[in-house]
Amino acid sequence: MEKIMLISADNHAGPPVRHMRDYLEQAYHDELDAYLERKDAQRAQLRELMQNSHSKEFVEQFEATREVAWHSSARQTLLEEDGVVAEVIFPDGTQDNEVPFTGQFGEASNRYYSPELQCAGQHAYNRWAADFCAEAKGRRAGLALVSFHDMDAAVRETEWAARTGLKGILIPGIAYDSTRGYGAQHDVLWAACVANDLTVNIHGGAGVPPYDFGEITPALLSIYSTEATWWSHRPLWYLMWSGVFERFPTLRVAFTEQFADWIPRALTYMDWLWSTGPTSKAMRKLLPHAPSFYWNRQCRVGASVFSSAECAMRRDIGTQTVMFGTDFPHPEGSWGITAQLLQATFPAHDVTEQEARDMLGNNAARFYGFDVEALAPVVERVGLTLTELFTPRASYDPRVTLWASRPPI
């Protein structure tokens, strides 16, 4: 087949928070009103900061994407224009559409709302996500937010998610003040994911500690941008050294929108700790295989806006573990210029056709259970051609230059 199956492993969706009333249990409607009142002032501050910190073009595109975060048909049109045939959907939060009472990507701590309210907000989003994915059955893999506050409740939510057709769960990051790994109390959740064939997901931004800097400033946003991905990496070594991958050899875990170039360095160091480091003797009793073995067997990276540097180290990362993402509908993503980004990176690094097919679609299809045969007619209709993919351009959109040139972190 000449066309490429492009599945975005990192997209976002969510309705305006006010619309969550239709999915939130009535007992929490008064709390939702209070939440909205508190958030309105913060949203105004963020908009002002964006207008002062970004180009006019960026702000215009940001505003233009507002409705497609929840408008099903408009969303599908833009995705197909970009060559995307299917998508993995995470919660949003950029368009006044965050999950009420809780973090956008299952953050580990929330200072303002009780565990009960957080779980209620998450379930409301999960109900909406199930309905939204059903509108494009077979082309949307939705993820359910779960909380670690009550593991029995987390298992019930996971089982409910599987029954409604969602394809995975989104777990919190490691709390910034936590010194504990994943213990026996978490095993019931991993077992539920395995039993229901659901993928575990950690998104960039999860686990970031609360910042007490007062008002939102460019300095604060730059600090967040520097640190956010590191906090989201932490579940890898917590899962690894806690023996979760050994106890649950078919558990699937994805690390999404937190770059991919950190993985070879992290695995090399963990392999050293396991083989010859100061903890090696004890760890080899717990883990019969090196950490890189478990990574290759059970983990994948949702590599949004794949940089030239990451493309160059793709075989060190493992081409069988990379899942490309466009970050739709976020303006910092590659949607709308996806073909250009791939043209700027793949030919320059001699990416093979098989590597391209795996990283752009096959890996995500296997990890999230997309029906490739059912998607074939869509691929034939809207997919990028091999010629398009491997033919460099004379010039590129400025966003391509920005992301392709990102140095390794």
Side-chain angles (χ1 to χ4, degrees):
M1 182 172 61
E2 167 72 7
K3 297 289 187 74
I4 290 287
M5 179 178 66
L6 176 53
I7 297 174
S8 177
D10 177 35
N11 284 2
H12 300 270
V17 184
R18 296 179 188 279
H19 294 184
M20 279 293 186
R21 182 180 297 272
D22 297 335
Y23 289 92
L24 185 69
E25 293 179 42
Q26 188 172 3
Y28 302 107
H29 284 189
D30 288 345
E31 284 85 352
L32 179 63
D33 292 338
Y35 172 87
L36 291 168
E37 184 177 351
R38 178 180 175 273
K39 297 292 285 188
D40 282 343
Q42 187 181 64
R43 290 192 184 101
Q45 186 182 15
L46 282 169
R47 282 201 182 92
E48 182 180 358
L49 178 62
M50 175 175 288
Q51 290 171 352
N52 294 332
S53 303
H54 294 83
S55 68
K56 179 182 177 182
E57 292 75 17
F58 183 95
V59 174
E60 287 177 350
Q61 185 177 12
F62 180 84
E63 294 296 335
T65 64
R66 183 175 302 277
E67 192 171 313
V68 296
W70 59 83
H71 191 291
S72 188
S73 61
R75 179 188 189 93
Q76 206 66 32
T77 297
L78 288 178
L79 287 171
E80 291 186 358
E81 289 175 355
D82 208 34
V84 175
V85 303
E87 57 178 333
V88 180
I89 296 180
F90 290 82
D92 201 2
T94 64
Q95 302 289 6
D96 302 344
N97 63 340
E98 73 276 4
V99 181
F101 314 125
T102 190
Q104 182 178 354
F105 304 124
E107 280 86 345
S109 61
N110 191 304
R111 297 168 293 167
Y112 302 107
Y113 303 103
S114 68
E116 179 185 357
L117 273 178
Q118 292 182 53
C119 290
Q122 289 178 345
H123 185 59
Y125 169 80
N126 297 343
R127 291 178 62 199
W128 177 87
D131 284 352
F132 189 70
C133 291
E135 293 180 25
K137 191 173 179 62
R139 299 182 65 180
R140 293 174 181 164
L143 308 176
L145 280 160
V146 300
S147 169
F148 281 176
H149 293 300
D150 182 333
M151 295 310 299
D152 290 336
V155 170
R156 290 194 297 272
E157 192 75 7
T158 298
E159 293 171 342
W160 173 88
R163 291 195 301 272
T164 59
L166 296 176
K167 297 299 184 180
I169 65 170
L170 186 60
I171 65 171
I174 301 297
Y176 67 98
D177 56 353
S178 174
T179 57
R180 302 183 63 183
Y182 290 110
Q185 73 274 21
H186 298 91
D187 279 0
V188 291
L189 181 59
W190 315 136
C193 289
V194 170
N196 290 280
D197 196 27
L198 297 181
T199 298
V200 175
N201 299 264
I202 300 101
H203 193 281
V208 176
Y211 292 102
D212 293 314
F213 286 20
E215 67 174 322
I216 300 171
T217 66
L220 175 59
L221 291 180
S222 295
I223 291 170
Y224 173 87
S225 297
T226 303
E227 295 184 338
T229 55
W230 180 84
W231 291 102
S232 307
H233 301 341
R234 298 178 79 203
L236 174 60
W237 39 90
Y238 274 68
L239 287 163
M240 190 73 70
W241 298 132
S242 298
V244 172
F245 293 128
E246 174 61 23
R247 294 196 299 278
F248 299 93
T250 58
L251 182 70
R252 305 189 304 272
V253 182
F255 295 80
T256 301
E257 201 180 342
Q258 44 188 283
F259 305 128
D261 41 26
W262 61 280
I263 294 163
R265 184 174 64 253
L267 291 176
T268 297
Y269 181 62
M270 286 193 287
D271 279 357
W272 175 81
L273 286 176
W274 177 86
S275 62
T276 56
T279 61
S280 61
K281 184 176 181 180
M283 288 314 306
R284 287 201 303 273
K285 291 181 179 179
L286 176 64
L287 305 180
H289 305 289
S292 57
F293 170 87
Y294 296 103
W295 169 267
N296 289 318
R297 186 178 72 180
Q298 295 174 247
C299 299
R300 300 292 180 267
V301 57
S304 306
V305 287
F306 207 41
S307 69
S308 181
E310 288 169 310
C311 189
M313 63 172 66
R314 66 191 180 280
R315 290 169 188 166
D316 294 327
I317 299 167
T319 55
Q320 79 283 0
T321 72
V322 173
M323 303 183 299
F324 183 82
T326 69
D327 198 25
F328 181 92
H330 295 174
E332 70 271 20
S334 70
W335 73 271
I337 56 166
T338 297
Q340 289 193 44
L341 179 66
L342 298 174
Q343 290 161 352
T345 52
F346 280 18
H349 297 290
D350 297 321
V351 175
T352 68
E353 178 184 338
Q354 189 59 54
E355 287 176 330
R357 290 190 182 278
D358 287 343
M359 294 190 294
L360 295 180
N362 291 342
N363 295 339
R366 287 189 287 263
F367 217 57
Y368 290 98
F370 287 101
D371 186 336
V372 174
E373 289 187 7
L375 289 175
V378 187
V379 176
E380 194 59 35
R381 179 167 57 85
V382 306
L384 300 175
T385 67
L386 291 171
T387 301
E388 287 176 310
L389 191 65
F390 290 110
T391 303
R393 297 169 61 96
S395 61
Y396 295 94
D397 184 284
R399 283 195 294 154
V400 172
T401 304
L402 171 67
W403 284 116
S405 64
R406 181 185 66 79
I409 56 173

